[in-house]
Amino acid sequence: MRFGKTLQSSIYAPWKSHYIDYPKLKLLLKESDRSSDNDEVEEWTDNDEGAFVEELLNVQLEKVHTFQVEMYKQLRERTSKCESKLEELVASTEKDKSKNAGDGAEAGVGLAGESTQNQLKEVLKELDGITREINELEKFSRINFTGFLKAAKKHDRKRGYKYRVRPLLQVRLGALPFNSEDYSPLLYRLSAMYSFVRQNMSKESNGRLQSPSDAPLDGEKYVSQKFWVHPDNLLEVKTYILRRLPVLVYNSQASNVAEGTQNDPTITSLYFDNQKFSLYTQKVERKPDASSLRLRWYGQLTKKPEILFEKKTMREGDNSEEIRFQIKEKYVQSFIRGEYKMEKTVQKIQHRQGHNNQHAEQFVQNVDVIQKFIKENNLQPVLRANYTRTAFQIPGDNRVRISLDTNLVLIREDSFDSERPCRDPDSWHRNDIDDAEMEYPFNRIRKGEISRFPHAVLEIKVREGTSEKSREWVTDLTDSHLVKEAPRFSKFVHGVAENFEDYVNSFPFWLSELENDIRKDPETAFEAEQERKAKRAEDEFAVGSLMGSRASPAFKPAIGSPVGRAMLDQSAGKAATKRALVPGLTPAVDDAEGEGESDGGGEPTGKQGAHTLAGLRSLFPTFSTSKYGRAHQQGPVQLPPGVRHPGKFIKDSGPVQVEAKVWLANQRTFIKWQHISVLLASLSLGLYNAAGEANSVARGLAVVYTLIALFAGAWGWWMYISRSKLIRERSGKDFDNILGPVVVCIGLVIALCLNFGFKV
């Protein structure tokens, strides 16, 4: 797509007049859309050059920069006003409480009052507006910055034989750095206000605050997902998350919520391995008990930060065990060599808690484990990972934890090459980096020793047992176009694969994807995700019901993802109804919290009665008691205002596509019935021929067996035809029907009992 069209599609309507006038610049450059065969050679004069340079560097650049500065100033002022409103609100509430207490009256309801809640809602609405315009301002800066570079490149390509404007533009862009604005301080202030408003507005039905209902428990487990985020989508992902979770601070102070002046911390991880890269190989090949070892600290090493020694071992089922302890910088080298065993730290623990303290014994055991691990594997520092981390979590509520790592740099830290080592073999870290306090982008590092990761790394951890409602917004984010899933991504593995290519023979699967553009169109990504979910749920239902499974689809078609909807409504005139009901399956009943789940292979408690009832009712094919069927019986879904029914679902719009195993399962069932019919017919024929004309009882029973055989054959054929029709129609009815087996079994039991009775 040409940049002119890209610019037009990216314009935020209220700010339309403040964007770069790209068509005017093309006109001044005498750039037309005519084909090259009809182009007439026009002379480019000094006046033409002066007019173009004046328009580009003075008029357009000043216009864009002035608007960006003014808009950012307005956003800061609006943010300050919101902070003042909240401060006044808290002050007035405290004043009312003091007055009521002084009068001997009962304390007021504080922030729970109706008028206070209305004010909080107004502040929240204003915060949403500020957040939205911060995103638009960042896009405004980026697209205009690109426009100036495109215009200069086009000029130099056409008129570069005599005039060059790119160097002048770079000087002006350096003096007016509208594209390098740091929005982090403003985002931290918004995060703090969002946290305050959320805590005082999120009332449950009983009037209680939605405090961390899931208190931290020992042995808690998390479901972790990793994603890549393109730099163009980074700010939008940040603002989307901070509306739900506040930003956490990594410092030694007591504050847990970020302040406006707090910067994201820089984290350095120093990974260990040997010259054979045994730990790397185990991790890539996902071998059992694969371990990794690293040193980790925050900020610059010259500031004497806390250093953590961490050993992580992967266990079965993606579970892991972690050993960590704190160590001082001056003891790291002697510890790695095995000369120091943390005796001073052990003495301090024993002095405070006693010699027979269990904590001291565990600490000594952890030290021995790590030192033994280093010695047995001949480990040394080989890779440095440096990145800036933004963490999101509600203080005291660990149900959802999110970290966003940006500016990820992976640097060689080995001393394998004795002639030209990256690190002094007598030191445990690179002194050239730490002593000089190098920071991103580490331009002084030699080429071949550094790899800069092009994306941000987003990790989302959701605690097991968290309700569907609590993590719904997380699902909207992970399903959106803003992120790309990167399962099992590892900084250590990626760094070794990039910087030690000649040392290793196996590589992670994601390396080939780095060359691709991970950005996706919002609408296309949303529709593709919903189609994929609908098809997966449909296949699960069809196969599960046919094979006797009681599993029902877990997919509930969304009525517009908030993330996707926010992106689709960027341009003016795009109505919210563009996100109409996703054509897919009828929403299934969410049974995640209402019914217990079995820990083993048996039937879930609380479901046995319902299962039996469903089996009896399945005698009538038109009446389904499954969760999917009950969802259909509940009548039409009530759609929100402005959302209309699509009329025809995506699943019904094209040719019927059902996996072959569904048809084959139906055919296998039909063949089984015919097999039973043939066996019973053979039994009845043999009995009839062996009985003779005088034995009327045996001949009568043979006729009974024949009738049962005919019923079994007819039933199998009828069920085969009926189920084939249900599959083609994608019906929500149950596929099971126990009437036929019951009739055959009862008929055989009666016939055998009569046979036995007459014989006796």
Side-chain angles (χ1 to χ4, degrees):
M1 182 184 294
R2 292 186 176 182
F3 178 74
K5 294 182 179 179
T6 303
L7 176 62
Q8 289 298 320
S9 62
S10 303
I11 287 179
Y12 181 50
W15 302 346
K16 185 176 182 179
S17 61
H18 302 283
Y19 283 79
I20 181 176
D21 194 343
Y22 195 69
K24 184 176 181 180
L25 291 173
K26 290 177 64 178
L27 184 63
L28 291 174
L29 192 55
K30 298 181 180 180
E31 175 84 4
S32 66
D33 294 331
R34 296 173 297 175
S35 63
S36 57
D37 295 337
N38 299 325
D39 281 347
E40 299 178 359
V41 179
E42 298 184 52
E43 184 181 359
W44 184 259
T45 65
D46 290 343
N47 292 334
D48 295 332
E49 179 69 16
F52 179 81
V53 173
E54 173 69 18
E55 184 68 25
L56 178 69
L57 299 183
N58 294 330
V59 178
Q60 297 297 326
L61 187 56
E62 283 290 344
K63 178 181 70 173
V64 171
H65 174 259
T66 300
F67 177 77
Q68 195 274 341
V69 171
E70 181 63 28
M71 183 52 62
Y72 186 66
K73 181 180 178 182
Q74 291 181 15
L75 291 174
R76 290 177 60 89
E77 291 175 352
R78 290 169 62 185
T79 303
S80 299
K81 289 181 180 178
C82 289
E83 291 172 338
S84 299
K85 287 182 180 179
L86 293 179
E87 290 174 358
E88 292 174 0
L89 194 61
V90 173
S92 61
T93 303
E94 293 295 331
K95 185 177 180 180
D96 292 341
K97 286 183 179 180
S98 301
K99 183 178 180 181
N100 292 335
D103 295 340
E106 185 181 355
V109 293
L111 293 179
E114 182 178 354
S115 61
T116 303
Q117 289 294 309
N118 291 334
Q119 295 180 53
L120 289 175
K121 291 178 181 178
E122 292 178 1
V123 172
L124 182 60
K125 185 177 180 180
E126 178 67 10
L127 291 176
D128 289 340
I130 295 172
T131 303
R132 181 174 58 254
E133 292 200 355
I134 287 177
N135 280 316
E136 295 297 341
L137 187 59
E138 193 267 344
K139 295 172 189 174
F140 171 88
S141 301
R142 185 170 63 246
I143 194 68
N144 282 285
F145 182 81
T146 306
F148 287 115
L149 295 180
K150 289 281 187 181
K153 181 180 179 181
K154 190 180 291 291
H155 169 275
D156 291 354
R157 186 176 65 247
K158 292 180 69 69
R159 314 298 177 189
Y161 61 91
K162 187 176 181 181
Y163 307 98
R164 290 188 62 83
V165 75
R166 181 70 178 264
L168 293 175
L169 177 64
Q170 290 178 337
V171 172
R172 290 287 288 152
L173 288 176
L176 304 174
F178 66 88
N179 190 51
S180 59
E181 187 70 62
D182 183 14
Y183 298 96
S184 297
L186 191 57
L187 293 181
Y188 288 141
R189 294 169 63 185
L190 292 172
S191 173
M193 286 188 285
Y194 267 121
S195 178
F196 176 83
V197 174
R198 182 170 47 246
Q199 290 176 6
N200 291 280
M201 282 188 62
S202 55
K203 308 281 184 182
E204 294 187 7
S205 57
N206 59 0
R208 293 184 295 106
L209 284 177
Q210 237 179 16
S211 61
S213 54
D214 300 319
L217 300 173
D218 293 335
E220 59 196 16
K221 296 181 179 180
Y222 288 86
V223 177
S224 177
Q225 292 177 285
K226 290 186 177 181
F227 303 87
W228 293 346
V229 182
H230 193 277
D232 290 354
N233 298 327
L234 188 58
L235 184 62
E236 185 153 12
V237 170
K238 278 188 176 182
T239 53
Y240 178 80
I241 297 174
L242 68 81
R243 291 183 61 189
R244 282 89 182 171
L245 299 178
V247 181
L248 287 184
V249 179
Y250 289 91
N251 58 18
S252 58
Q253 300 176 2
S255 175
N256 283 333
V257 181
E259 301 174 359
T261 58
Q262 177 68 33
N263 294 323
D264 289 329
T266 299
I267 302 178
T268 301
S269 295
L270 213 59
Y271 293 96
F272 286 69
D273 211 331
N274 50 42
Q275 197 160 355
K276 295 181 180 180
F277 286 96
S278 305
L279 303 187
Y280 166 84
T281 304
Q282 293 176 8
K283 203 169 182 66
V284 171
E285 297 178 356
R286 297 182 60 79
K287 292 184 178 180
D289 297 336
S291 301
S292 61
L293 183 67
R294 69 177 180 182
L295 287 164
R296 182 165 59 89
W297 66 87
Y298 294 91
Q300 295 291 345
L301 196 60
T302 55
K303 306 297 183 183
K304 305 298 180 182
E306 296 179 355
I307 302 177
L308 291 176
F309 232 125
E310 299 177 337
K311 178 179 179 291
K312 187 176 183 180
T313 304
M314 298 302 299
R315 299 301 185 191
E316 187 176 354
D318 287 337
N319 295 323
S320 62
E321 292 181 2
E322 209 168 293
I323 297 175
R324 65 171 64 181
F325 58 83
Q326 186 176 326
I327 186 172
K328 291 184 178 181
E329 178 189 353
K330 59 183 178 180
Y331 297 132
V332 174
Q333 185 67 21
S334 57
F335 179 87
I336 295 174
R337 293 175 178 172
E339 301 169 356
Y340 177 66
K341 297 184 177 295
M342 305 294 293
E343 291 89 354
K344 293 186 177 181
T345 304
V346 174
Q347 291 175 1
K348 290 181 180 179
I349 297 175
Q350 292 176 344
H351 178 72
R352 294 172 184 171
Q353 303 180 8
H355 288 274
N356 297 325
N357 183 266
Q358 186 177 1
H359 178 64
E361 295 177 359
Q362 184 64 46
F363 183 84
V364 172
Q365 183 179 351
N366 292 343
V367 169
D368 292 339
V369 168
I370 291 182
Q371 282 194 327
K372 184 179 179 181
F373 183 67
I374 295 174
K375 183 178 181 181
E376 290 179 349
N377 294 278
N378 193 25
L379 301 180
Q380 62 170 290
V382 297
L383 181 74
R384 175 188 296 246
N386 185 275
Y387 49 93
T388 302
R389 168 162 292 184
T390 306
F392 303 87
Q393 182 184 333
I394 298 176
D397 184 352
N398 61 351
R399 286 174 292 180
V400 180
R401 299 159 56 186
I402 297 178
S403 64
L404 184 62
D405 298 337
T406 55
N407 298 338
L408 173 58
V409 175
L410 302 154
I411 305 172
R412 288 185 59 165
E413 196 89 10
D414 63 288
S415 58
F416 296 151
D417 189 351
S418 57
E419 298 180 357
R420 196 183 182 188
C422 300
R423 168 182 53 83
D424 183 358
D426 295 328
S427 177
W428 62 273
H429 65 99
R430 289 187 61 160
N431 297 308
D432 59 328
I433 296 177
D434 294 319
D435 293 348
E437 296 187 355
M438 288 190 192
E439 295 182 344
Y440 183 85
F442 295 90
N443 291 324
R444 283 184 280 173
I445 302 297
R446 292 175 295 194
K447 189 176 181 181
E449 296 181 1
I450 185 171
S451 172
R452 298 176 180 87
F453 192 68
H455 310 302
V457 180
L458 176 70
E459 183 173 10
I460 301 176
K461 292 183 178 181
V462 179
R463 203 176 75 193
E464 290 185 357
T466 303
S467 65
E468 183 71 27
K469 185 176 180 181
S470 299
R471 63 174 183 264
E472 183 177 359
W473 66 271
V474 176
T475 305
D476 288 337
L477 175 61
T478 57
D479 291 345
S480 73
H481 69 285
L482 298 175
V483 298
K484 173 180 172 53
E485 189 172 8
R488 300 193 300 274
F489 175 78
S490 167
K491 300 182 182 72
F492 168 58
V493 171
H494 183 79
V496 171
E498 288 281 350
N499 295 324
F500 297 91
E501 184 178 358
D502 297 334
Y503 288 79
V504 295
N505 297 320
S506 56
F507 298 94
F509 64 89
W510 62 75
L511 277 185
S512 59
E513 300 181 13
L514 287 178
E515 303 299 327
N516 303 329
D517 189 353
I518 66 173
R519 291 172 295 184
K520 296 176 286 186
D521 176 68
E523 186 172 3
T524 303
F526 180 81
E527 291 176 354
E529 179 67 21
Q530 296 304 311
E531 282 191 59
R532 184 183 65 81
K533 287 185 176 182
K535 186 178 184 305
R536 181 179 63 189
E538 183 181 343
D539 291 343
E540 288 177 357
F541 174 76
V543 178
S545 296
L546 193 59
M547 301 304 294
S549 172
R550 291 288 168 181
S552 63
F555 168 58
K556 298 188 293 180
I559 308 180
S561 165
V563 180
R565 184 168 57 247
M567 287 298 297
L568 287 176
D569 294 340
Q570 291 174 7
S571 302
K574 288 188 177 181
T577 55
K578 192 168 186 178
R579 286 285 193 155
L581 177 64
V582 176
L585 296 175
T586 304
V589 178
D590 185 6
D591 201 37
E593 297 182 356
E595 298 177 354
E597 295 183 0
S598 174
D599 294 332
E603 190 74 8
T605 58
K607 284 190 177 182
Q608 294 180 357
H611 183 83
T612 305
L613 182 60
L616 294 175
R617 291 184 178 178
S618 64
L619 288 169
F620 307 96
T622 59
F623 188 86
S624 174
T625 58
S626 68
K627 291 184 287 183
Y628 190 81
R630 289 198 301 270
H632 278 74
Q633 297 165 11
Q634 290 174 355
V637 178
Q638 297 295 326
L639 301 179
V643 179
R644 60 180 179 81
H645 195 279
K648 191 175 184 180
F649 294 131
I650 287 179
K651 71 181 183 67
D652 297 331
S653 59
V656 178
Q657 295 181 353
V658 182
E659 292 187 11
K661 59 184 179 182
V662 179
W663 297 106
L664 295 176
N666 192 22
Q667 291 177 2
R668 284 197 301 271
T669 307
F670 168 67
I671 293 172
K672 285 289 186 181
W673 276 107
Q674 302 312 305
H675 181 65
I676 293 173
S677 177
V678 170
L679 287 178
L680 290 176
S682 301
L683 173 65
S684 62
L685 181 61
L687 182 62
Y688 186 86
N689 293 333
E693 297 181 359
N695 194 345
S696 58
V697 174
R699 287 197 169 192
L701 291 174
V703 171
V704 173
Y705 288 130
T706 302
L707 294 176
I708 297 175
L710 291 174
F711 174 81
W715 175 266
W717 172 254
W718 181 68
M719 290 304 299
Y720 173 73
I721 297 299
S722 301
R723 286 169 176 163
S724 297
K725 182 180 179 182
L726 293 176
I727 293 173
R728 285 193 299 271
E729 295 176 349
R730 297 185 176 91
S731 173
K733 298 177 182 178
D734 282 341
F735 280 54
D736 56 336
N737 196 326
I738 64 173
L739 177 60
V742 169
V743 171
V744 172
C745 290
I746 293 177
L748 286 175
V749 169
I750 293 175
L752 290 173
C753 290
L754 290 175
N755 194 353
F756 179 78
F758 288 136
K759 183 64 178 177
V760 171

